[in-house]
Amino acid sequence: MTELKVLFLYLTILWLRIGEAQNILMRYFISFIICITIIFISSCRKDFSSIPNSGKLEFSKDTVFLDTIFTNIGSATYNLKVYNRSRNAITIPSIQLEKGAISNYRLNVDGISGQEFNDIDILAKDSIFIFIETTIDVSKQSNPLYLDKILFDTGSNQQKVDLVTLVEDANFIFPAKEAISMKIDSLSLDGKPTTIKGRFLEDTELTFTKEKPTIIYGYAAVPSNKTLTIEAGAKIYFHNNSGLIIDNKATLKVNGTLSEKVIFEGDRLENSFSQIPGQWGTIWMRAGSKDNEIKHAQIKNGIIGILIDSIGSNSTPTLRLQNTEIYNHSNFGILARETNIEAHNIVIGSAGQASLAATIGGTYSFTHSTFANYWNNGIRQLPAVLVNNFFVYNTEAGEEIIETRNLNAANFTNCIFEGNNNIEFLIDKVEGGGLFNYSVKNCMIKFIDSNNSFDGVTEVDFGNNTNYSGIILNGNPNFRDTQKNDFIIGLQKVMP
């Protein structure tokens, strides 16, 4: 009987606690509903008083430069911050574009798009953002410099912020589209379809001049037995996932000069994109392309600056490269695979893997060249310059196969190999191959083997006079500004 009483008492207490918990939960739930209701009601009404604007607004900038855009291509979105520094909330009677409804600019104020806005409130010591975009048809403009103003208020309280955009006319190369489905065509290479979006250039498109920039969407391919000629001063801009393909038996001639370089880069011309890698694909010289020449060019901000697969001949270079700068590529500056390159006076800067990878053998000659890889967008596994004589692949059964090719020559004369890794020059040989010839003369090489990982490796024995002579090991090139790809040597950094 006593045990039954105890059990009854325990159940009674448990029931009371459950009821108390339910009451607490109910009170919290009711409080939550009340708070949500208050927030909802307050958000739907203006519960503060404001005074008229007195003409003392402040702005994050007095002129918004929308950088250079191309005709009929929308700009990026720019912003302007408007400050109310006073102790009172204010109301701006009007914010509008000076050109009104005919303006080519578009605004977004407080989440509302348009060209004219009325009674805009700014709390005391607070601010608002205005977002600005534009699309301009240069053929309808008498001046490529397009101007307008954002006007704040009217009469004596009126303030203004200038809007400035440079509009360039351009030649556009777009991939073809299927007539029925309107899907973008993919290239067929060697008679086989690929997933690469693009098309072959027509005969009338095989000369790029400096008269207008050329903007490429997708891959523009040079057909077999044709030559793409790019004249001095030409500018070639690539959209995302775009590039050039020089097909089998096709040729690329880039004829820049010291005063009029040829520029290859992405089509985002805002200053914030000037040092961003990976904005476009590559210039791909396929196996069998021939007599390619690049003189006085600047190739920057792609995935691979130049991808060259041509086997070609040992006596005739597949690519002659002179007085050219290659910067800021997310994978390689130059990725060469069993090819023949003759290069003079080139600079290859930062790349996510290697500035130059001369792989699967081939014939290479670089004179008066700087390879300086100061990649700072992640961990880089490869040295600035890698040379090897092999490639690796897996069979269908999963077996790893290593095949070698002849390294006919890898000659570097009066070159600098530098960067922010310890090992910035590496010749990697797989035994069992054929020829393996290399010569490095009068070069500065960064090679700090902290863990003695390369002890006894003949290919990096810099005291080996057969392959190395006049070597400066781990010297200081005193580059002017590595982060800006300014590799002029022997000068002090220019302070801002």
Side-chain angles (χ1 to χ4, degrees):
M1 187 69 178
T2 302
E3 292 176 352
L4 289 174
K5 288 182 179 180
V6 171
L7 178 61
F8 177 78
L9 180 61
Y10 174 79
L11 291 173
T12 301
I13 293 171
L14 180 61
W15 180 83
L16 289 173
R17 288 185 175 177
I18 291 172
E20 181 180 1
Q22 288 177 331
N23 290 334
I24 292 171
L25 288 173
M26 182 60 70
R27 286 200 298 272
Y28 276 120
F29 179 75
I30 292 171
S31 299
F32 175 77
I33 293 297
I34 292 172
C35 289
I36 291 297
T37 303
I38 291 172
I39 292 171
F40 178 78
I41 293 172
S42 64
S43 67
C44 296
R45 65 184 179 86
K46 178 180 174 180
D47 58 355
F48 62 91
S49 60
S50 64
I51 62 173
N53 174 46
S54 61
K56 295 182 180 179
L57 298 169
E58 294 183 19
F59 308 102
S60 57
K61 58 195 81 171
D62 57 12
T63 302
V64 179
F65 296 96
L66 278 78
D67 291 312
T68 301
I69 66 169
F70 299 111
T71 183
N72 292 318
I73 301 296
S75 71
T77 301
Y78 296 77
N79 67 71
L80 171 72
K81 202 169 186 180
V82 184
Y83 300 93
N84 171 22
R85 304 292 193 190
S86 72
R87 298 180 179 179
N88 299 303
I90 63 170
T91 298
I92 307 171
S94 69
I95 300 175
Q96 60 185 325
L97 289 161
E98 186 177 57
K99 293 183 179 179
I102 66 170
S103 178
N104 287 311
Y105 290 107
R106 302 180 296 276
L107 305 181
N108 185 296
V109 179
D110 263 2
I112 301 173
S113 298
Q115 292 169 312
E116 183 174 354
F117 309 84
N118 297 312
D119 299 327
I120 302 300
D121 298 316
I122 309 181
L123 295 173
K125 303 291 184 180
D126 204 350
S127 61
I128 62 170
F129 274 105
I130 296 178
F131 298 98
I132 308 143
E133 296 177 342
T134 188
T135 305
I136 302 171
D137 184 348
V138 73
S139 67
K140 297 180 180 179
Q141 307 301 322
S142 58
N143 189 331
L145 195 65
Y146 187 78
L147 309 173
D148 202 347
K149 294 179 173 64
I150 305 177
L151 303 179
F152 297 83
D153 214 328
T154 59
S156 60
N157 289 333
Q158 187 174 88
Q159 295 173 267
K160 64 181 177 62
V161 171
D162 293 317
L163 304 177
V164 180
T165 305
L166 179 63
V167 191
E168 283 195 51
D169 198 2
N171 293 316
F172 292 89
I173 296 175
F174 294 101
K177 293 183 179 180
E178 294 178 5
I180 298 176
S181 66
M182 295 302 290
K183 290 183 178 179
I184 296 175
D185 285 351
S186 296
L187 279 166
S188 291
L189 300 174
D190 299 329
K192 298 178 181 179
T194 73
T195 59
I196 301 171
K197 302 301 182 183
R199 65 175 176 84
F200 282 96
L201 296 171
E202 302 290 339
D203 286 352
T204 56
E205 299 173 309
L206 289 174
T207 300
F208 296 170
T209 73
K210 68 176 181 180
E211 300 305 317
K212 294 181 181 180
T214 297
I215 305 173
I216 297 176
Y217 284 70
Y219 276 80
V222 183
S224 180
N225 298 312
K226 301 289 183 179
T227 297
L228 171 62
T229 301
I230 303 179
E231 296 180 355
K235 295 179 180 179
I236 296 87
Y237 299 109
F238 298 99
H239 196 61
N240 187 36
N241 296 322
S242 300
L244 275 177
I245 295 177
I246 318 303
D247 204 12
N248 179 32
K249 298 182 181 179
T251 300
L252 173 66
K253 300 287 187 183
V254 178
N255 298 322
T257 66
L258 180 61
S259 59
E260 291 187 302
K261 295 180 181 179
V262 172
I263 306 297
F264 299 87
E265 63 177 317
D267 64 351
R268 297 296 299 271
L269 302 187
E270 304 94 307
N271 186 59
S272 59
F273 280 80
S274 63
Q275 298 286 328
I276 302 297
Q279 295 180 47
W280 55 282
T282 186
I283 300 171
W284 181 16
M285 298 174 183
R286 297 192 66 233
S289 71
K290 60 182 182 178
D291 300 325
N292 300 294
E293 293 183 355
I294 299 178
K295 302 174 184 176
H296 290 285
Q298 190 176 88
I299 305 169
K300 58 184 180 179
N301 301 336
I303 296 174
I304 299 174
I306 300 173
L307 170 59
I308 177 166
D309 276 336
S310 295
I311 297 172
S313 70
N314 296 330
S315 57
T316 303
T318 305
L319 171 64
R320 286 186 170 91
L321 188 62
Q322 298 178 31
N323 304 308
T324 291
E325 305 157 79
I326 303 174
Y327 299 135
N328 290 334
H329 295 279
S330 57
N331 285 1
F332 298 93
I334 296 177
L335 174 55
R337 300 186 288 207
E338 196 178 2
T339 189
N340 188 333
I341 299 176
E342 180 183 293
H344 300 270
N345 194 31
I346 69 164
V347 178
I348 310 182
S350 295
Q353 295 190 48
S355 300
L356 167 67
T359 65
I360 322 178
T363 303
Y364 307 98
S365 175
F366 288 84
T367 305
H368 301 302
S369 297
T370 295
F371 308 91
N373 199 335
Y374 291 87
W375 179 257
N376 59 8
N377 292 306
I379 298 174
R380 174 167 57 92
Q381 301 294 334
L382 298 180
V385 172
L386 170 68
V387 179
N388 71 33
N389 67 332
F390 63 90
F391 67 101
V392 181
Y393 66 94
N394 291 317
T395 65
E396 292 183 358
E399 180 185 4
E400 184 178 88
I401 303 296
I402 299 176
E403 290 197 15
T404 61
R405 295 289 186 269
N406 287 337
L407 181 64
N408 299 300
N411 298 328
F412 297 91
T413 305
N414 296 339
C415 295
I416 296 175
F417 307 91
E418 265 291 339
N420 50 12
N421 280 359
N422 283 339
I423 306 296
E424 294 296 10
F425 177 78
L426 182 62
I427 293 184
D428 188 11
K429 178 182 179 181
V430 167
E431 298 294 344
L435 297 174
F436 198 89
N437 299 318
Y438 62 97
S439 173
V440 184
K441 297 179 180 179
N442 304 324
C443 293
M444 179 183 288
I445 300 173
K446 182 177 181 182
F447 192 94
I448 302 173
D449 186 14
S450 302
N451 299 320
N452 299 319
S453 302
F454 293 92
D455 277 2
V457 178
T458 303
E459 289 72 41
V460 289
D461 178 5
F462 302 112
N464 169 12
N465 295 329
T466 302
N467 301 102
Y468 294 95
S469 62
I471 301 302
I472 299 174
L473 195 61
N474 302 320
N476 180 11
N478 195 20
F479 294 132
R480 188 157 66 180
D481 195 332
T482 59
Q483 296 307 306
K484 293 182 179 179
N485 292 307
D486 186 348
F487 300 117
I488 293 177
I489 62 175
L491 296 175
Q492 295 297 319
K493 183 181 292 186
V494 177
M495 300 301 293

